[in-house]
Amino acid sequence: MTDNRPGRNLRLSFAPIRIPPPFTMPRSASSHVSSQTVDEEDEEDDNIISQQAGYITPTSPTAARRLHSARTSELDLRRRMPSKRHSYDEHSSLLASGDGNMRSYTAPNTGRPRFSRRSSQGSLGMPKNHSRASSWGFHLANALGSGRKFTENGMGESKASIFMDERVWYDQFTSTDWVHDSIADAFRVRDLRARKDLRGRIFAWFDGAQGWILVAIIGCITACVAFFVNISETSIFDYKDGHCKEGWYFSKRKCCYGLNHCPSWESWGERMSITGIERMWIDFIAYVFFVVFFAVGACFLTLITKTEIPSAFSLSTLDENLGADKQKHRGESDDMSQKVSLSPTGPEVVDEKPGTMVYYPAAGSGVAEVKVILSGFVVHGYLGLRTLVVKTFALILSVASGLSIGKEGPYVHIATCVGNIACRLFSKYNHNDGKRREILSASAASGVGVAFGAPISGVLFSLEEVSYYFPPKTLFRTFFCCIVAALSLKFLNPYGTGKIVIFEVRYVTDWRSFEMFVFILLGILGGALGALFIKACRLWARTFRRIPSIKRWPVLEVVLVALVTGLASFWNRYTKLAVTELLFELASPCKDNTSGLCPQHGSEILGIVGYLCVAFVIKSILTVITFGIKVPAGIYVPSMVVGGLMGRIVGHLVQYLVFLHPDHPVFGSCPKGGDLEGCITPGVYALVAAGATMCGVTRLSVTLAVILFELTGSLDHVLPFSLSVLVAKWTADALEPLSIYDLLTDMNSYPLLDNKIRPIFTSDLGDITPKVRSHRVIDISNSPLVSAQALRRKLEYLHDAGEIDGGLPVIRHDILVGLIPAPDLQFALDNLEDEEQSLCLMATNVTWHGNVEEEEEREPDPTDFTPYIDPAPVALDIHSPMDLVFQCFVKLGLRYICVLRDGQYAGLVHKKAFVKYVKELEEAGSTDPS
């Protein structure tokens, strides 16, 4: 019989292994099942079967075997994946059963019953009263027999089974296996393209169009969410000053239609006139009240997303809490001689009970977490529907409160949530974590596109900041998503101006050559200001935010910050305005500016400068103390506002200098007479400094220059914008190596291997390779049968060490023959009916003997773990240079690398341990400055 299933012709090479002499086959192998137990330390001595077992290995370098078709590979294993009918949160392992019952995620050291297991038929869909004796006896007899047959395409069948369907879903806080997902998608595409009929071609065409359909849907939905947030927060924001008589839902702009004196708008002092109290004080009290009320409302909504996980995951927080204690990693002296592992040690060393980490997915901007998730770190629920809904409404209240925050950063998180939810429409993306992240990259870009009304900047933002893997196909698809989002926003017209940008300024005069030095100075000041902002935020968080009462009750901090904001902002027009409107006034030229920033005579300049200096100090302090509170908050526009105030001050000072010395040779190119803006436009200085300060905070470069260009539409000022951003980045890197989001990633100990940094290695792979321990490997030198209890103990050791996404190498005579991932092993063990008495088949190069048709009719055996074993894990020699290891982890996205010494297994290096090693090099300054 010819097996035409896809993936059955893949050939894998193995080195020849010595063939022991054949042995006498026992009459009934099933009798050994109940009498044999294998201890994890004495597996070679206690197993009676292993004393007689012989193994047939291919005499040629190519080994082949054929798996029978009645195994789990022929079942509907999609039942093990997340179902659209169920909701999953941060505590779900997503190892769902086929009958719809979801098993809750069990984290390490949470005290669950050690051997409490679920029945196998729940997830595999097997008959409850099936007979496993004949199937197991048949498997064991053929595994230990000497008359096995090897087919031409045997190992290809095993590989196809592994990469196509023998996979459990990614568990919480694990790393994406990019190689596995890439190969799995390749098999899926090959199976789809194999059909040459009309229906097959239609399916293939639709499969190729799914990505474009998906990003179009994401772009439209993201634009709709942005439209809803914009019109809602604008109306609610003006409630702090009064209300519209014609309709409570009208903002002041829509109510007055641009009139300076608006009879339709009524302030709270006019509404609630109290004898003996001036209207100004009534307006002040109402303003402070609404600031606190809206901020507290946003905080309570954010607290709805509260999530608790065990601290054994080596994380501090999952939000922008710079006051959190950085995780202290305990070293594994028995496993690593020179370097400590990122994960905590095993249960034999850890006596204390782990604490609980609390985080709020809706807090902050979420840009750092989105960046880590796109790098392959799995965080269930952070991009879920609950987070999307809560953060959307909480963002409206937080921005409307008048706090020194922006909505542009949270748009990235919200758009990524939309993309993650939309991926459930197509199994191609829903069931492949690697493919899903290509869509999430496009989603994050659309968030920036609708935030600034700059689709090109959105594409560059995804490429420069958040995306870890960005092939050309994803680039074009991301561009399409941003264009769709921009067109949808243009149609919705949220600002009522027919424009999609948050504001639009036009400069009619060109800059002059002597201004280049001022632009460079603004770049230096902006970069320094951004670096100082990061240091100030960290200092404030590590002092005030670590007060026990503030740490215990996040609402208290929000109330205090909102109260200070209301008290300080009311008296200054430029601190009272919304951050977007303030940035627009700062950047506007005088012909479009009626806010009082345009002096009519040179003697008025210093008064305006003093007024702006007060606003600059207040806004800087408020931005520092606001960053990290438990409300949705972005830092992009607030940092631009602080820089814009500084730039406007510098612009007016230069303007004043020209007024005092109009005949100086430096100003010879300036026109004589006329208005003050004939030579110097302070709005240009404000926008240049705004971009420089934002660059100092976020370290965005090309993206930021294009954002400024798209806001102004002026080709004449591209060079000043670009030059200031470039100088700002150099300055900020010199004062503070980490951006605000890199700092969050470092403090939270996210397993992010930054592909933009090139460490300078002075060692090789052997220096970070842990020693081989019996609880870290599965030795099948004497028998392919391993006790389920021994496997459970090995798995629990990995879990106690925090390596829930680790793996156990399978070795025979010190030769690496395969690797079983820890999530797959847990799933397989959970499907055993009698774990205490079960022996599990862990061989990787055996085939089955007998009639093929009878094999296809047999029911799958849950004690056969071979479908879960990867027979060809990536392995490097122990003397491999660390640069090669770095490239493998970064470019291939591996979870772990097996280490060989002279062809024999020498250890396993996990990605988290390698990230820890790279972090140590960064702290020691061993990185390439280029």
Side-chain angles (χ1 to χ4, degrees):
M1 177 179 176
T2 303
D3 192 345
N4 294 323
R5 286 174 292 172
R8 303 312 189 194
N9 297 315
L10 189 67
R11 299 167 66 93
L12 297 175
S13 298
F14 285 84
I17 302 176
R18 179 182 59 84
I19 305 176
F23 66 99
T24 303
M25 183 51 201
R27 176 177 301 178
S28 175
S30 60
S31 60
H32 295 284
V33 177
S34 60
S35 61
Q36 301 301 324
T37 57
V38 182
D39 184 76
E40 67 170 325
E41 301 293 342
D42 301 312
E43 293 173 332
E44 299 180 0
D45 299 327
D46 296 340
N47 198 318
I48 301 176
I49 300 178
S50 64
Q51 297 176 2
Q52 306 179 36
Y55 293 94
I56 298 298
T57 55
T59 56
S60 66
T62 303
R65 71 181 175 94
R66 180 184 183 282
L67 298 181
H68 62 281
S69 60
R71 307 160 73 138
T72 53
S73 61
E74 300 301 321
L75 297 176
D76 183 14
L77 289 183
R78 291 188 185 275
R79 297 180 183 178
R80 287 190 277 168
M81 298 181 178
S83 174
K84 299 178 183 177
R85 297 172 299 177
H86 305 288
S87 60
Y88 296 88
D89 56 17
E90 294 81 3
H91 304 286
S92 303
S93 68
L94 298 188
L95 307 183
S97 60
D99 54 6
N101 297 325
M102 181 179 65
R103 182 175 60 84
S104 299
Y105 170 72
T106 305
N109 296 329
T110 52
R112 57 172 169 77
R114 183 173 183 182
F115 295 109
S116 177
R117 297 290 163 244
R118 180 169 46 81
S119 176
S120 62
Q121 61 268 20
S123 70
L124 293 179
M126 301 177 186
K128 186 174 182 179
N129 298 322
H130 69 280
S131 174
R132 294 192 303 119
S134 61
S135 176
W136 171 246
F138 183 87
H139 287 193
L140 180 61
N142 286 280
L144 302 181
S146 59
R148 290 173 297 279
K149 298 183 291 185
F150 292 88
T151 60
E152 177 70 16
N153 58 350
M155 283 305 294
E157 297 169 359
S158 172
K159 199 70 175 178
S161 177
I162 290 171
F163 288 120
M164 288 189 64
D165 50 13
E166 299 297 339
R167 187 66 177 178
V168 297
W169 196 244
Y170 288 107
D171 219 333
Q172 180 76 301
F173 301 110
T174 59
S175 300
T176 300
D177 195 337
W178 296 92
V179 174
H180 180 283
D181 288 350
S182 178
I183 298 177
D185 186 67
F187 276 106
R188 183 193 61 81
V189 172
R190 190 178 69 176
D191 185 22
L192 189 64
R193 300 287 175 85
R195 298 185 56 177
K196 301 300 182 182
D197 56 341
L198 179 60
R199 187 176 182 183
R201 293 183 180 180
I202 294 176
F203 285 160
W205 175 85
F206 180 70
D207 179 77
Q210 286 180 6
W212 301 100
I213 297 174
L214 198 55
V215 296
I217 294 174
I218 293 170
C220 291
I221 296 178
T222 302
C224 292
V225 174
F227 170 76
F228 174 71
V229 173
N230 288 334
I231 62 173
S232 300
E233 66 89 6
T234 303
S235 300
I236 299 177
F237 185 92
D238 292 334
Y239 253 76
K240 301 191 299 295
D241 297 322
H243 70 98
C244 183
K245 297 178 181 179
E246 298 179 359
W248 62 271
Y249 48 86
F250 285 150
S251 64
K252 188 174 183 179
R253 176 182 297 179
K254 289 186 177 181
C255 183
C256 299
Y257 297 102
L259 298 177
N260 292 330
H261 178 70
C262 181
S264 299
W265 184 260
E266 185 179 31
S267 66
W268 296 113
E270 297 172 351
R271 177 75 175 181
M272 298 178 293
S273 179
I274 301 177
T275 305
I277 302 179
E278 296 182 7
R279 291 181 178 180
M280 180 186 66
W281 292 106
I282 297 178
D283 290 336
F284 172 68
I285 295 174
Y287 180 85
V288 174
F289 169 77
F290 279 110
V291 168
V292 176
F293 177 75
F294 290 150
V296 171
C299 182
F300 277 120
L301 284 176
T302 303
L303 297 183
I304 294 177
T305 61
K306 179 180 179 180
T307 305
E308 298 181 359
I309 62 171
S311 61
F313 288 110
S314 300
L315 301 177
S316 299
T317 63
L318 281 166
D319 52 37
E320 296 171 353
N321 183 10
L322 289 174
D325 295 322
K326 187 175 180 179
Q327 278 289 340
K328 306 296 183 182
H329 306 296
R330 291 159 287 187
E332 290 189 4
S333 58
D334 61 334
D335 281 358
M336 302 187 68
S337 57
Q338 297 184 13
K339 299 293 179 183
V340 296
S341 172
L342 183 70
S343 304
T345 56
E348 70 276 9
V349 184
V350 182
D351 297 328
E352 69 273 11
K353 183 178 179 181
T356 300
M357 185 193 81
V358 179
Y359 70 96
Y360 306 89
S365 65
V367 175
E369 287 72 25
V370 168
K371 180 179 179 180
V372 174
I373 290 173
L374 289 182
S375 72
F377 190 53
V378 180
V379 184
H380 294 314
Y382 200 87
L383 302 178
L385 180 61
R386 183 183 65 168
T387 302
L388 170 63
V389 174
V390 172
K391 189 157 191 171
T392 299
F393 286 96
L395 179 62
I396 295 173
L397 293 179
S398 63
V399 175
S401 65
L403 296 174
S404 185
I405 58 177
K407 56 180 179 290
E408 288 72 23
Y411 274 164
V412 177
H413 186 192
I414 290 175
T416 311
C417 291
V418 173
N420 182 67
I421 297 170
C423 283
R424 302 172 188 173
L425 296 174
F426 302 109
S427 60
K428 171 183 176 181
Y429 298 99
N430 189 33
H431 293 156
N432 191 303
D433 224 40
K435 296 290 292 182
R436 177 196 296 262
R437 273 154 176 74
E438 296 180 11
I439 299 298
L440 297 185
S441 296
S443 304
S446 67
V448 173
V450 298
F452 291 97
I456 308 298
S457 303
V459 178
L460 294 175
F461 172 80
S462 181
L463 175 63
E464 182 179 0
E465 180 66 18
V466 296
S467 293
Y468 196 79
Y469 176 65
F470 208 75
K473 182 177 66 175
T474 303
L475 173 65
F476 191 34
R477 194 171 288 167
T478 301
F479 179 63
F480 177 69
C481 183
C482 291
I483 293 300
V484 171
L487 289 176
S488 302
L489 199 65
K490 175 79 172 179
F491 174 77
L492 294 172
N493 192 18
Y495 306 110
T497 60
K499 306 291 184 180
I500 61 173
V501 292
I502 53 175
F503 59 86
E504 185 179 28
V505 293
R506 298 289 180 181
Y507 302 121
V508 295
T509 58
D510 196 1
W511 57 280
R512 291 166 173 81
S513 56
F514 73 88
E515 293 181 279
M516 182 63 67
F517 300 98
V518 185
F519 294 147
I520 294 176
L521 176 63
L522 289 176
I524 296 174
L525 294 177
L529 188 61
L532 292 177
F533 171 79
I534 296 174
K535 294 180 181 297
C537 288
R538 180 165 46 190
L539 177 63
W540 172 259
R542 290 182 175 179
T543 53
F544 176 79
R545 200 163 289 153
R546 287 187 177 180
I547 298 175
S549 57
I550 298 297
K551 193 174 183 179
R552 190 178 302 113
W553 296 298
V555 180
L556 179 60
E557 181 185 9
V558 174
V559 170
L560 294 177
V561 171
L563 188 61
V564 172
T565 301
L567 295 175
S569 300
F570 180 81
W571 308 103
N572 191 297
R573 182 178 186 277
Y574 302 122
T575 58
K576 189 177 181 181
L577 282 175
V579 287
T580 304
E581 294 183 11
L582 176 57
L583 184 60
F584 171 69
E585 290 196 2
L586 293 173
S588 297
C590 278
K591 69 182 185 64
D592 299 330
N593 200 327
T594 58
S595 61
L597 285 176
C598 297
Q600 302 300 321
H601 191 268
S603 59
E604 302 176 3
I605 294 178
L606 294 181
I608 295 176
V609 169
Y611 199 69
L612 288 174
C613 287
V614 174
F616 171 74
V617 173
I618 294 176
K619 208 67 179 178
S620 299
I621 296 176
L622 292 180
T623 305
V624 169
I625 66 176
T626 305
F627 183 83
I629 64 175
K630 296 300 182 290
V631 296
I635 195 61
Y636 290 154
V637 174
S639 63
M640 294 181 72
V641 164
V642 174
L645 288 168
M646 179 191 67
R648 190 83 188 194
I649 293 172
V650 173
H652 282 299
L653 290 177
V654 175
Q655 196 178 52
Y656 186 68
L657 190 62
V658 174
F659 170 75
L660 292 179
H661 307 282
D663 298 327
H664 195 279
V666 176
F667 310 128
S669 59
C670 294
K672 305 302 179 181
D675 59 355
L676 294 174
E677 269 201 350
C679 182
I680 302 297
T681 305
V684 175
Y685 291 72
L687 202 56
V688 168
T693 306
M694 180 178 170
C695 175
V697 175
T698 64
R699 307 302 157 86
L700 292 173
S701 55
V702 181
T703 302
L704 191 51
V706 177
I707 286 177
L708 298 178
F709 163 68
E710 292 191 84
L711 290 179
T712 60
S714 174
L715 290 173
D716 296 333
H717 293 83
V718 170
L719 184 58
F721 294 152
S722 304
L723 183 61
S724 64
V725 168
L726 186 64
V727 174
K729 183 169 176 57
W730 284 338
T731 305
D733 287 339
L735 297 177
E736 174 61 53
L738 299 177
S739 70
I740 190 67
Y741 297 122
D742 291 336
L743 181 63
L744 291 170
T745 301
D746 183 64
M747 293 195 65
N748 290 328
S749 300
Y750 294 140
L752 173 66
L753 193 58
D754 195 348
N755 53 2
K756 301 181 181 65
I757 297 178
R758 181 184 176 185
I760 300 176
F761 298 105
T762 58
S763 59
D764 54 25
L765 182 55
D767 295 330
I768 63 170
T769 302
K771 298 178 180 178
V772 180
R773 298 297 181 183
S774 59
H775 49 255
R776 292 278 186 171
V777 298
I778 301 175
D779 193 347
I780 60 171
S781 300
N782 297 319
S783 173
L785 305 178
V786 182
S787 168
Q789 289 183 311
L791 293 175
R792 177 64 68 179
R793 287 193 292 270
K794 295 176 188 292
L795 180 65
E796 288 181 345
Y797 182 88
L798 289 181
H799 282 190
D800 291 336
E803 296 184 13
I804 57 177
D805 56 349
L808 291 174
V810 181
I811 62 174
R812 179 189 295 119
H813 301 299
D814 296 330
I815 302 298
L816 178 68
V817 296
L819 184 142
I820 182 168
D824 299 57
L825 179 59
Q826 179 179 2
F827 181 81
L829 290 174
D830 288 346
N831 288 326
L832 296 178
E833 290 184 344
D834 187 5
E835 186 173 318
E836 296 181 358
Q837 302 297 326
S838 296
L839 293 178
C840 305
L841 183 63
M842 303 296 298
T844 59
N845 64 340
V846 297
T847 188
W848 313 126
H849 188 59
N851 191 301
V852 177
E853 296 181 358
E854 293 180 359
E855 294 175 8
E856 293 180 351
E857 295 177 356
R858 279 196 315 274
E859 297 170 352
D861 189 351
T863 57
D864 179 14
F865 286 7
T866 53
Y868 301 99
I869 298 176
D870 180 3
V874 177
L876 296 177
D877 188 80
I878 197 169
H879 299 296
S880 299
M882 293 299 293
D883 295 278
L884 175 60
V885 180
F886 179 80
Q887 294 298 327
C888 288
F889 276 118
V890 171
K891 299 296 178 59
L892 298 181
L894 302 175
R895 277 184 177 179
Y896 28 64
I897 291 179
C898 297
V899 185
L900 306 180
R901 179 189 288 110
D902 298 329
Q904 295 184 337
Y905 177 75
L908 182 143
V909 176
H910 196 280
K911 178 182 178 181
K912 294 179 180 178
F914 185 75
V915 172
K916 176 64 165 58
Y917 172 69
V918 172
K919 291 295 183 183
E920 291 176 351
L921 292 180
E922 292 179 8
E923 293 175 359
S926 299
T927 55
D928 190 350
S930 60

